[in-house]
Amino acid sequence: MIWFHKRYLLYGVILLAITWWSMRETGFELERFAQFTDAFTFIQNRFLPPEWSLLPLLLRESLVTLAVAFLGTFFALIIALPLSFASASNTSRSRTAYTFNRFSLSGLRSIPEIVFGLIFVVVIGLGPFAAVLAILLHNIGVLGKLISELIEASDPGPHEAMKSVGAQRRIASLFAIVPQIWPNILSHYFYRFEVAIRTSLILGFIGGGGIGQQLFNQFQSFNYTAMAVSILLIMLLVIMVDMFGSYVRKRVI
């Protein structure tokens, strides 16, 4: 018991040391929180009132952002589903295939969307299509890993029962494992959809189109009242996707 307490005391000391080092490296100072009142003054003086005359244009750009996020995430789910079965230890055909697929998904997941976006903007030009491809490739890696872990954690009983009566491996996986993990797949999908909306905004900064590009242009021209409208629409998009995802999950569960 004494050893147990000493171990956690050591963990606490290490955590405090890392926290202190991080604060030192990042210039984290509690005194700076007193300057937050300046932020409210800045918002009140520069962002208000919003420039509502730009609402029709920004609504169209919001739909572009929504389309980019949806296509990138939906196509990623379609590709990631079969890859996840090949990347799960209990459904992969061989250890070699399992290792290769896991390594491939890790590679895609390790490259941020902004890096993919910079490459595709140069290769295929400016516009939303480059943003779709960037989100697609990164989300294949993310969703592939998440779904493969759901597959590995699924109940093996139904899968083994179907194989014991002569069902092929693919058929057994489809009808025994997918129904178990489908609600969690939807949860992961809608979460990644929300993340993709925010990511598409950043990709808009490098020419990926949508409301992110409008936001960047407004910031560059110091048009803060227009930025206020863009920010409100972004918040609305994320809230709508979250509410729709919750509704779908309730209907499925």
Side-chain angles (χ1 to χ4, degrees):
M1 184 63 68
I2 296 176
W3 174 82
F4 177 81
H5 289 300
K6 287 183 176 179
R7 184 179 67 177
Y8 278 89
L9 179 61
L10 177 62
Y11 291 162
V13 172
I14 293 174
L15 181 61
L16 287 175
I18 295 174
T19 302
W20 175 83
W21 173 80
S22 300
M23 293 175 66
R24 180 182 176 185
E25 291 296 316
T26 58
F28 188 95
E29 298 175 359
L30 295 177
E31 294 81 4
R32 296 190 178 185
F33 283 99
Q35 301 175 3
F36 274 15
T37 55
D38 297 336
F40 293 110
T41 303
F42 175 74
I43 292 173
Q44 183 177 2
N45 294 337
R46 298 294 185 91
F47 283 78
L48 300 177
E51 192 172 340
W52 296 111
S53 61
L54 294 175
L55 186 59
L57 169 64
L58 296 178
L59 279 173
R60 287 195 297 271
E61 296 299 325
S62 298
L63 292 178
V64 173
T65 295
L66 188 64
V68 168
F70 172 76
L71 285 180
T73 314
F74 181 66
F75 287 153
L77 178 64
I78 293 176
I79 298 172
L81 266 175
L83 283 178
S84 61
F85 279 93
S87 305
S89 58
N90 56 333
T91 56
S92 182
R93 288 187 174 274
S94 65
R95 186 68 184 179
T96 302
Y98 166 79
T99 304
F100 175 78
N101 286 309
R102 280 281 183 167
F103 179 80
S104 300
L105 292 177
S106 297
L108 289 174
R109 192 170 60 254
S110 65
I111 302 175
E113 297 95 327
I114 189 69
V115 176
F116 282 128
L118 288 169
I119 295 172
F120 289 126
V121 162
V122 174
V123 173
I124 64 178
L126 301 173
F129 185 54
V132 171
L133 294 179
I135 293 173
L136 168 66
L137 289 179
H138 182 79
N139 272 330
I140 289 174
V142 175
L143 289 174
K145 176 182 184 297
L146 293 174
I147 298 174
S148 65
E149 291 178 349
L150 291 176
I151 293 171
E152 290 177 345
S154 63
D155 183 4
H159 188 252
E160 295 298 328
M162 290 195 67
K163 289 197 298 183
S164 66
V165 296
Q168 297 181 355
R169 178 189 295 267
R170 294 178 181 177
I171 301 298
S173 298
L174 179 63
F175 290 99
I177 295 179
V178 172
Q180 295 184 55
I181 65 176
W182 188 242
N184 289 325
I185 290 177
L186 286 178
S187 295
H188 289 318
Y189 168 75
F190 281 109
Y191 173 70
R192 293 307 305 175
F193 189 9
E194 293 177 27
V195 173
I197 291 176
R198 294 186 287 271
T199 301
S200 62
L201 302 177
I202 305 301
L203 294 173
F205 291 1
I206 60 171
I211 196 170
Q213 188 165 344
Q214 293 293 323
L215 187 66
F216 181 71
N217 294 338
Q218 293 159 2
F219 176 77
Q220 291 286 87
S221 60
F222 304 103
N223 192 355
Y224 297 116
T225 54
M227 284 182 63
V229 181
S230 299
I231 293 170
L232 289 174
L233 288 176
I234 292 166
M235 293 172 61
L236 181 63
L237 275 180
V238 174
I239 291 172
M240 288 175 57
V241 171
D242 179 59
M243 292 177 62
F244 180 72
S246 298
Y247 171 77
V248 172
R249 287 192 293 269
K250 288 179 181 178
R251 297 287 293 181
V252 170
I253 297 174

